[in-house]
């Protein structure tokens, strides 16, 4: 059984990082719409200022990075909160499953870009044409 209470000497910042990681990770069903896709969109828009062709790769990269950061934050904070030397678990297997899940969500983002559901805003297209 996992002990979710902070251990003696445990800092509150691990709990904060766990919540932040959860918000960025692909483990919550609602986070993509409200957190990761907007962050990926902003990242893609920033790169499309250099070249309009960088929007899709930038959005995919931004999506991957936000999910990966969330998984890493959750993994690290959760490990610090729940386990110490006495745990004999396999954290690398759990991390691999999390990364594969994020890649599945990435396929969905690619499909949305290829179908035209997600595209850069019109003002970026005008600036790139100058």
């Amino acid at each position: 059984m996992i002990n979710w209470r902070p251990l003696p000497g445990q800092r509150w910042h691990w709990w904060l990082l766990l919540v932040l990681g959860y918000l960025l990770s692909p483990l919550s069903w609602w986070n993509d719409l409200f957190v990761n896709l907007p962050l990926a969109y902003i990242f893609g828009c920033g790169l499309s200022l250099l070249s309009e062709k960088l929007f899709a790769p930038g959005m995919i990269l931004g999506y991957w990075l936000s999910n990966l950061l969330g998984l890493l934050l959750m993994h690290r904070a959760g490990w610090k909160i729940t386990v110490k030397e006495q745990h004999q678990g396999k954290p690398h297997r759990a991390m691999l499953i999390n990364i594969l899940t994020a890649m599945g969500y990435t396929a969905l983002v690619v499909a949305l870009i290829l179908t035209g559901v997600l595209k850069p805003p019109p003002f970026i297209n005008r600036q790139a044409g100058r």
Side-chain angles (χ1 to χ4, degrees):
M1 179 177 264
I2 297 175
N3 179 8
W4 286 100
R5 292 174 307 172
L7 298 171
Q10 195 77 34
R11 302 255 196 272
W12 60 270
H13 69 276
W14 292 117
W15 286 97
L16 181 63
L17 287 178
L18 183 72
V19 170
L20 182 61
Y22 180 73
L23 291 174
L24 291 171
S25 79
L27 301 179
S28 59
W29 62 269
W30 55 269
N31 80 316
D32 280 336
L33 183 59
F34 297 109
V35 180
N36 289 7
L37 286 178
L39 289 173
Y41 185 77
I42 290 168
F43 194 82
C45 288
L47 287 181
S48 70
L49 291 173
L50 300 173
S51 170
E52 188 176 334
K53 293 179 181 180
L54 292 177
F55 174 73
M59 189 160 174
I60 291 167
L61 180 62
Y63 182 76
W64 276 350
L65 291 174
S66 67
N67 275 290
L68 183 61
L69 178 62
L71 293 171
L72 291 173
L73 286 173
M74 279 185 54
H75 182 74
R76 177 75 172 155
W79 195 256
K80 286 289 193 179
I81 291 169
T82 61
V83 299
K84 287 290 183 185
E85 299 79 23
Q86 75 271 12
H87 189 16
Q88 304 295 325
K90 296 180 181 178
H92 294 32
R93 181 170 186 247
M95 181 63 76
L96 177 64
I97 290 170
N98 290 341
I99 290 172
L100 291 175
T101 301
M103 291 178 78
Y105 280 111
T106 300
L108 176 63
V109 171
V110 170
L112 291 173
I113 290 172
L114 292 177
T115 58
V117 174
L118 294 174
K119 53 189 167 190
F123 72 87
I124 289 180
N125 293 338
R126 287 183 294 216
Q127 287 182 354
R130 288 185 186 169

